């Protein structure tokens, strides 16, 4: 039995939601935009099957809702497949396009065969069989969902994360549905009549008095492959986990001696997580591997155990020319910055004559500096590297020479601005107001000269008497 490992099958091409509840003739299938109708229609097969297989009905209902987009996905409306199980059922299957994520968290689409069931209950039963029987390589893969092993429905829901689906928030999404619609009270109480249920599970189901543990929440951000950091001198003060610490039950730790660790050892970063506690405190975590292979084991590690690249940002403006003939990508963040970056497209798509940049970043990693520019493409903003001439800022050309002596402000000085550089020659261009008290004839000391050859204009760098600040100004402001 094959089960696709992906973020959510709700990303499968979804059919248009129907107003109210509809029943597919002869199939017992429910498609609805009304969650309460969906729950009411499937209550009987869900509770019957889940109790038979000693599973939580609330979790099964939440899964069916999430995976089928409340019964409206094309897979569900055409094949009664509520859980995205691949393969064939009694020789019956349908072929559909599905969204998958590779090991780098990049989205791609592929066609696959999915099981076609004669009824909703057949889909529930097949899914329950999968949870109870596991896979050929691991029969107990889903044992964390069994009522004898899961003290609460939350434990069972969280046990489906990174087993049934790879989405880090899969379990919390199910729990949210259960709490929103009161599924534990509505469905799990009926399990107490099942003599085969464990005593602890039956007690919770019949009274619903077991307090749910409070976990921190985490927001996750995918990343392009190849981004790295190094273990710092304090890495042994922290631990490796299979999930972000404190965000769910039964999180396990891995000892450093079991991995190829050591100070300055390079690790690969493939996801960032921002954890928020109930008190509102936020911490950053990274999902790491110790090699860049697709099958490398993944761990979550607190950011303070890592030496991350340093990025210095500065606002400004420049026209940037992009070499779209180069192979490469543009990103939502500076590549290999502490934010981590996702590829948003290929350079060859950037065919405009030039783009406006409003932010510059200098990334320092292992002593090597690289410059990046944030450019506007349509109504979006993306980061592009300046290395290898992928992005070349277009500045006015200036020839410089030493200068000395004094000059005075001309009668027209106030028509011109003061700058920290010759205008349109640097990204971090700043404009200053004339200081109070200056007037026509005010004496200044000149110390540098610049000529913009394209325009034939001359600029001077100067200081006001008694001031250490250098300013650049068009020569026409001086007499």
């Amino acid at each position: 039995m094959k089960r696709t490992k992906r973020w959510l099958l709700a990303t499968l091409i979804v059919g248009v939601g129907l107003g109210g509840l509809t029943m597919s003739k002869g199939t017992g299938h429910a498609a609805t935009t009304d969650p309460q109708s969906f729950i009411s229609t499937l209550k009987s097969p869900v509770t019957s099957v889940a109790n038979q297989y000693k599973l939580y009905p609330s979790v099964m209902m939440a899964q069916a809702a999430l995976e089928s987009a409340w019964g409206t996905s094309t897979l569900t409306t055409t094949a009664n497949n509520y859980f995205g199980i691949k393969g064939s059922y009694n020789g019956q299957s349908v072929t559909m396009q599905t969204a998958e994520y590779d090991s780098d968290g990049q989205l791609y689409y592929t066609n696959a065969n999915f099981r076609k069931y004669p009824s909703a209950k057949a889909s529930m039963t097949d899914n329950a069989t999968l949870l109870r029987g596991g896979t050929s390589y691991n029969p107990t893969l889903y044992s964390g969902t069994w009522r004898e092993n899961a003290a609460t429905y939350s434990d069972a829901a969280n046990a489906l994360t990174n087993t049934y689906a790879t989405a880090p928030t899969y379990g919390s999404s199910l729990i949210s549905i259960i709490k929103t619609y009161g599924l534990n009270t509505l469905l799990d109480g009926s399990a107490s009549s099942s003599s085969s249920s464990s005593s602890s599970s039956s007690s919770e189901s019949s009274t619903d008095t077991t307090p749910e543990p409070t976990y921190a929440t985490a927001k996750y951000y995918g990343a392009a492959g190849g981004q790295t950091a190094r273990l710092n001198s304090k890495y042994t003060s922290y631990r490796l986990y299979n999930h972000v610490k404190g965000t769910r039950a039964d999180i396990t730790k891995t000892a450093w001696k079991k991995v190829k660790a050591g100070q300055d050892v390079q690790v690969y970063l493939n996801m960032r997580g921002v954890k928020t506690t109930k008190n509102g405190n936020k911490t950053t975590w990274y999902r790491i591997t110790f090699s860049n292979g697709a099958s490398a084991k993944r761990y979550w590690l607190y950011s303070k155990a890592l030496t991350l690249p340093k990025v210095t940002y500065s606002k400004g403006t420049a026209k940037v020319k992009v070499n779209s003939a180069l192979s490469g990508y543009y990103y939502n963040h500076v590549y290999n910055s502490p934010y981590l970056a996702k590829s948003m497209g290929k350079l060859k798509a950037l065919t405009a004559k030039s783009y406006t940049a409003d932010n510059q970043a200098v990334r320092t990693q292992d002593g090597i500096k690289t410059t990046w520019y944030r450019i506007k493409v349509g109504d979006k903003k993306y980061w592009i590297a300046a290395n290898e001439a992928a992005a070349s800022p277009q500045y006015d050309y200036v020839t410089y020479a030493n200068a000395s002596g004094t000059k005075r402000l001309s009668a027209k000085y106030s028509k011109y601005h003061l700058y920290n550089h010759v205008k349109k020659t640097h990204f971090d261009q700043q404009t200053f107001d004339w200081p109070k008290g200056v007037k026509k004839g005010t004496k200044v000391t000149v110390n540098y000269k610049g000529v913009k050859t394209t325009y034939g204009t001359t600029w001077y760098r100067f200081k006001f008497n008694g001031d250490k600040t250098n300013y650049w100004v068009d020569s026409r402001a001086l007499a």
Side-chain angles (χ1 to χ4, degrees):
M1 182 176 295
K2 294 183 179 179
R3 172 66 173 76
T4 178
K5 276 194 173 185
R6 73 247 185 283
W7 287 84
L8 295 175
L9 193 67
T11 58
L12 187 71
I13 297 178
V14 175
V16 177
L18 305 176
L21 176 68
T22 62
M23 301 292 293
S24 299
K25 187 176 180 179
T27 66
H29 161 262
T32 180
T33 54
D34 177 11
Q36 295 295 351
S37 296
F38 179 91
I39 294 166
S40 176
T41 302
L42 295 183
K43 179 180 178 181
S44 177
V46 164
T47 53
S48 173
V49 171
N51 289 334
Q52 178 184 351
Y53 286 83
K54 305 176 188 176
L55 302 169
Y56 280 94
S58 61
V59 176
M60 182 175 288
M61 181 70 81
Q63 264 200 292
L66 184 63
E67 296 281 350
S68 72
W70 294 98
T72 64
S73 73
T74 303
L75 180 60
T76 305
T77 58
T78 60
N80 278 307
N81 191 328
Y82 284 81
F83 302 96
I85 298 179
K86 290 182 176 179
S88 63
Y89 182 84
N90 293 334
Q92 299 295 306
S93 66
V94 293
T95 301
M96 290 191 175
Q97 188 182 64
T98 180
E100 305 278 355
Y101 284 81
D102 62 21
S103 59
D104 294 327
Q106 298 297 306
L107 179 69
Y108 68 96
Y109 293 91
T110 185
N111 289 328
N113 290 330
F114 292 86
R115 297 189 174 198
K116 184 176 182 179
Y117 300 100
S119 65
K121 186 172 182 179
S123 179
M124 306 299 163
T125 302
D126 202 30
N127 188 60
T129 302
L130 170 62
L131 296 182
R132 271 289 166 179
T135 63
S136 59
Y137 62 87
N138 187 356
T140 61
L141 179 62
Y142 307 115
S143 59
T145 66
W146 303 349
R147 292 189 72 124
E148 62 266 33
N149 295 334
T152 67
Y153 71 79
S154 294
D155 293 340
N158 283 322
L160 292 166
T161 303
N162 284 337
T163 54
Y164 194 92
T166 55
T169 58
Y170 191 75
S172 60
S173 296
L174 297 177
I175 293 169
S176 177
I177 293 173
I178 292 170
K179 289 182 176 180
T180 298
Y181 298 100
L183 299 183
N184 57 319
T185 301
L186 179 67
L187 305 176
D188 293 345
S190 61
S192 61
S193 61
S194 174
S195 59
S196 58
S197 296
S198 66
S199 59
S200 61
S201 297
S202 297
S203 173
E204 183 205 17
S205 300
S206 58
T207 63
D208 195 38
T209 59
T210 303
E212 288 297 320
T214 301
Y215 298 113
T217 60
K219 188 173 182 179
Y220 298 91
Y221 302 88
Q227 299 178 79
T228 62
R230 294 187 182 276
L231 298 179
N232 63 30
S233 59
K234 299 179 180 180
Y235 81 94
T236 55
S237 299
Y238 305 95
R239 298 290 181 267
L240 297 168
Y241 298 92
N242 62 331
H243 298 291
V244 175
K245 182 182 178 182
T247 57
R248 64 198 67 202
D250 302 324
I251 290 178
T252 60
K253 295 185 289 188
T254 298
W256 286 107
K257 63 182 179 180
K258 293 185 177 181
V259 299
K260 296 179 180 179
Q263 184 176 343
D264 293 329
V265 164
Q266 180 174 269
V267 296
Y268 295 86
L269 313 176
N270 51 65
M271 187 174 288
R272 177 171 65 97
V274 178
K275 183 176 79 171
T276 304
T277 66
K278 63 180 181 179
N279 296 325
N281 297 323
K282 295 181 182 291
T283 53
T284 300
W285 294 68
Y286 292 95
R287 193 173 69 180
I288 71 168
T289 60
F290 289 91
S291 72
N292 205 22
S295 60
K297 183 145 181 89
R298 299 173 178 180
Y299 307 93
W300 281 97
L301 181 62
Y302 186 32
S303 60
K304 288 189 176 181
L306 297 168
T307 298
L308 296 159
K310 180 181 178 181
V311 183
T312 303
Y313 297 90
S314 58
K315 294 181 179 180
T317 184
K319 291 293 183 181
V320 174
K321 184 179 181 181
V322 177
N323 185 354
S324 58
L326 292 176
S327 61
Y329 301 87
Y330 54 93
Y331 301 90
N332 63 333
H333 291 293
V334 173
Y335 184 84
N336 224 142
S337 71
Y339 289 109
L340 299 187
K342 284 184 68 175
S343 168
M344 306 304 290
K346 293 185 177 180
L347 288 178
K348 65 181 182 181
L350 302 180
T351 57
K353 185 176 181 180
S354 65
Y355 296 89
T356 300
D358 69 349
N359 217 303
Q360 176 182 273
V362 177
R363 186 194 71 199
T364 304
Q365 184 174 19
D366 296 332
I368 299 174
K369 294 181 182 291
T370 56
T371 301
W372 291 71
Y373 292 98
R374 189 174 71 177
I375 63 173
K376 188 173 183 180
V377 182
D379 60 350
K380 304 291 185 181
K381 293 181 179 181
Y382 303 110
W383 286 95
I384 186 170
N387 61 308
E388 299 179 353
S392 305
Q394 307 297 295
Y395 297 123
D396 291 344
Y397 181 72
V398 182
T399 59
Y400 294 95
N402 290 323
S404 61
T406 60
K407 291 183 179 292
R408 295 181 183 273
L409 298 186
S410 71
K412 298 180 179 180
Y413 81 92
S414 61
K415 293 183 178 181
Y416 302 94
H417 294 288
L418 299 175
Y419 299 94
N420 59 333
H421 300 290
V422 176
K423 186 179 180 181
K424 295 185 178 180
T425 60
H426 287 72
F427 187 82
D428 58 337
Q429 188 83 65
Q430 295 183 51
T431 305
F432 305 98
D433 293 327
W434 290 95
K436 292 182 179 180
V438 302
K439 59 184 179 180
K440 173 187 174 182
T442 298
K443 186 183 292 187
V444 299
T445 302
V446 172
N447 55 43
Y448 219 53
K449 178 182 178 180
V451 177
K452 298 177 77 168
T453 55
T454 301
Y455 306 101
T457 56
T458 300
W459 292 68
Y460 285 103
R461 191 178 72 177
F462 71 92
K463 295 180 181 179
F464 290 103
N465 290 339
D467 191 349
K468 295 182 179 180
T469 304
N470 284 307
Y471 298 101
W472 281 95
V473 72
D474 189 305
S475 63
R476 288 169 288 186
L478 303 176

